[in-house]
Amino acid sequence: MGIIIKTPSEIDKMRVAGRLAAEVLEMIEPHVVPGITTEELNQICHDYIVDVQHAIPAPLNYHGFPKSICTSINQQVCHGIPSNKKLKNGDIINIDITVIKDDYHGDTSKMFCVGEVSPHAKRLVKITQEALYRGIEQVKHGATLGDIGHAIQKFAESNRYSVVREFCGHGIGQKFHEEPQVLHYGKPGEGVALEAGMIITIEPMLNLGKRHVKVLADGWTAVTKDRSLSAQWEHTILVTDHGYEILTLRQEEM
C-alpha cells in the first residue's frame, strides 16, 4: 500500500483525533506521581478515552498488545506494558497515547519526570523534545524524510546522545501504521519527498548510552541493551503547502 494523501474531510477528522490524544496527556499529568502504578495510569486513561471522549484506545488488542496505553520507564525505550510496578521518585516515564475517533487515529507521547529527577535525566528529556521539534521544523511540501532524520540525528549526536534505529515514525490515518516509515536518522535530500496532505508521526527515541536495544520476553517492551536511560516524544504532523501543522499540540506548547 502506498502513501495516502488525506482529503480535507479526512484531515478534519485527524485534527479531532489528534486533539483528543493530546487531551489525554494533559488529563493524566497530575496523576503521574511517586507511588502510582502504571496499571492505574492505564485505567485512568482508558476510562477517560472511552467514557469522556467516546473514543477507542488504539493500542488495546493491537496485534495482541494487552493495554490501552504504553508506559516506558527509565531504560525502557518504547512499548512498555502497564503493570503493577509503582513509579518512584526520580523516574522518567514516556506515556504514549493513540486514540481512534470516527475511524481516524491521533498518536502522541510525552515524557514525565516523577518527583525530583537527576540533572542528567532531565537534560535527556529536554534534548529529546528539542530533537522532535528540530525534525518537525523540516516538514514542508517538497522536503524529504531524510531532511527530518538528519535534523534529529545531528542535534542528538551533537548533544552526545544516540538515536534508536529499530523503531521509527510512520504514516497514520484510518490505519494506525501506514506508509511511509519515518526514520530519525538520515541524510538531507534522501528518501521520500513530502507532499501536502500527508500525515506522519515523528517520534525520536534518544539514549543516554549506546543506541542498541533489545525486546524483552513479553514481546513488546524495548529496553536499552546497556541499561542506560532512554527518552521519547511524539507528535502527529500534517504536511501543508507552506510547512506543517501539529495535530497533537498540547496547551503547554502553544
Side-chain angles (χ1 to χ4, degrees):
M1 191 177 77
I3 294 168
I4 299 169
I5 303 299
K6 307 299 188 286
T7 66
S9 69
E10 287 179 310
I11 290 168
D12 285 342
K13 288 179 178 178
M14 291 292 290
R15 284 192 181 104
V16 172
R19 190 182 74 243
L20 293 179
E23 286 173 358
V24 179
L25 288 177
E26 292 170 341
M27 177 279 302
I28 201 63
E29 178 139 28
H31 300 279
V32 185
V33 293
I36 197 165
T37 68
T38 50
E39 173 55 46
E40 287 171 315
L41 294 174
N42 176 78
Q43 194 61 52
I44 294 166
C45 289
H46 176 91
D47 292 347
Y48 184 79
I49 293 165
V50 173
D51 298 336
V52 178
Q53 297 183 332
H54 306 294
I56 298 166
L60 186 61
N61 301 318
Y62 181 76
H63 293 309
F65 190 81
K67 300 292 177 178
S68 296
I69 66 173
C70 298
T71 51
S72 304
I73 306 168
N74 296 334
Q75 76 276 7
Q76 294 176 347
V77 176
C78 60
H79 304 155
I81 301 173
S83 70
N84 292 323
K85 182 180 174 65
K86 288 183 177 177
L87 295 183
K88 59 186 191 301
N89 189 54
D91 283 343
I92 58 172
I93 178 174
N94 176 275
I95 298 181
D96 194 340
I97 303 291
T98 309
V99 301
I100 307 168
K101 184 74 171 181
D102 295 332
D103 297 329
Y104 285 82
H105 290 73
D107 189 3
T108 186
S109 83
K110 172 181 169 168
M111 295 299 299
F112 296 86
C113 293
V114 184
E116 287 296 311
V117 171
S118 69
H120 68 272
K122 208 174 279 186
R123 181 175 184 273
L124 174 66
V125 166
K126 182 171 177 289
I127 294 295
T128 306
Q129 185 179 26
E130 180 62 27
L132 167 63
Y133 292 147
R134 295 286 177 112
I136 291 171
E137 283 166 6
Q138 302 304 310
V139 174
K140 64 174 186 287
H141 182 86
T144 69
L145 292 177
D147 297 340
I148 297 171
H150 176 74
I152 291 168
Q153 181 182 12
K154 184 179 173 190
F155 182 71
E157 292 176 354
S158 72
N159 281 282
R160 300 186 179 173
Y161 298 130
S162 59
V163 180
V164 172
R165 299 190 174 211
E166 286 80 359
F167 302 97
C168 60
H170 49 88
I172 187 166
Q174 274 190 299
K175 286 201 168 73
F176 197 159
H177 296 92
E178 299 179 351
E179 291 296 324
Q181 292 194 329
V182 181
L183 304 181
H184 303 115
Y185 59 94
K187 293 181 178 164
E190 291 194 350
V192 171
L194 302 177
E195 289 180 54
M198 283 174 63
I199 299 180
I200 59 174
T201 72
I202 305 176
E203 45 186 299
M205 289 144 266
L206 305 190
N207 296 344
L208 196 58
K210 293 192 166 70
R211 69 171 182 83
H212 308 289
V213 306
K214 63 180 180 181
V215 176
L216 299 183
D218 62 25
W220 286 101
T221 309
V223 299
T224 54
K225 274 192 178 173
D226 62 8
R227 312 273 305 163
S228 65
L229 290 176
S230 187
Q232 179 189 19
W233 296 77
E234 175 183 15
H235 272 312
T236 298
I237 311 293
L238 166 68
V239 183
T240 67
D241 288 321
H242 306 292
Y244 60 85
E245 181 183 335
I246 301 175
L247 302 183
T248 46
L249 200 67
R250 298 180 302 281
Q251 290 292 330
E252 66 189 4
E253 296 175 287
M254 289 178 184

